[in-house]
Amino acid sequence: MSYRGYQGTVEFSLEDNVLYGQVLGIRSLLSYEGNTLQELKDDFEDTIDDYFECCKNHNMTPEKPYKQNIVINLEPDLQEKLYLYSELRDEDISDSINRAIRNLVDK
């Protein structure tokens, strides 16, 4: 799910017979639940709205999701192959990495 730039999970508890989830990409723990998909979606959006209101009331800046740099430590032979791959295709290494990761996670 997505709302106001934030992403959330959708999970199900067989034990409690409830849908639940949490907001991804921030340090604050924001969770929500519902008995139907619509209730889950509504509670997700209410949770984000409440988070913004709480931050406003406490003069805090809401965390922005996924706006951090990621450091990847590659094995030396992979670094060399990545460099050569990118050079042969006349593209930036970051573009090659983004495409490779997109192919991995979009499957």
Side-chain angles (χ1 to χ4, degrees), residues 18-29:
V18 68
L19 296 162
Y20 67 96
Q22 71 178 23
V23 177
L24 300 171
I26 61 174
R27 287 184 294 253
S28 298
L29 177 59

Side-chain angles (χ1 to χ4, degrees), residues 14-106:
L14 287 172
E15 182 178 310
D16 299 322
N17 197 33
V18 68
L19 296 162
Y20 67 96
Q22 71 178 23
V23 177
L24 300 171
I26 61 174
R27 287 184 294 253
S28 298
L29 177 59
L30 303 179
S31 60
Y32 44 90
E33 65 180 49
N35 292 315
T36 66
L37 287 174
Q38 188 59 54
E39 285 180 10
L40 183 72
K41 182 177 182 283
D42 291 344
D43 198 40
F44 169 64
E45 292 176 1
D46 288 345
T47 297
I48 299 296
D49 291 338
D50 290 346
Y51 173 64
F52 273 84
E53 186 65 28
C54 181
C55 287
K56 180 181 173 185
N57 291 339
H58 290 93
N59 293 323
M60 296 169 44
T61 302
E63 293 177 65
K64 296 189 187 306
Y66 301 120
K67 300 296 182 196
Q68 40 190 283
N69 291 328
I70 297 174
V71 176
I72 300 173
N73 293 315
L74 297 175
E75 298 168 5
D77 65 317
L78 287 177
Q79 289 180 22
E80 181 180 356
K81 288 176 183 178
L82 176 61
Y83 175 77
L84 292 172
Y85 177 91
S86 299
E87 283 292 313
L88 289 171
R89 284 157 185 80
D90 193 32
E91 71 180 10
D92 187 75
I93 288 176
S94 293
D95 293 335
S96 298
I97 292 170
N98 280 315
R99 189 169 1 85
I101 292 173
R102 188 173 317 284
N103 286 336
L104 177 69
V105 299
D106 285 348

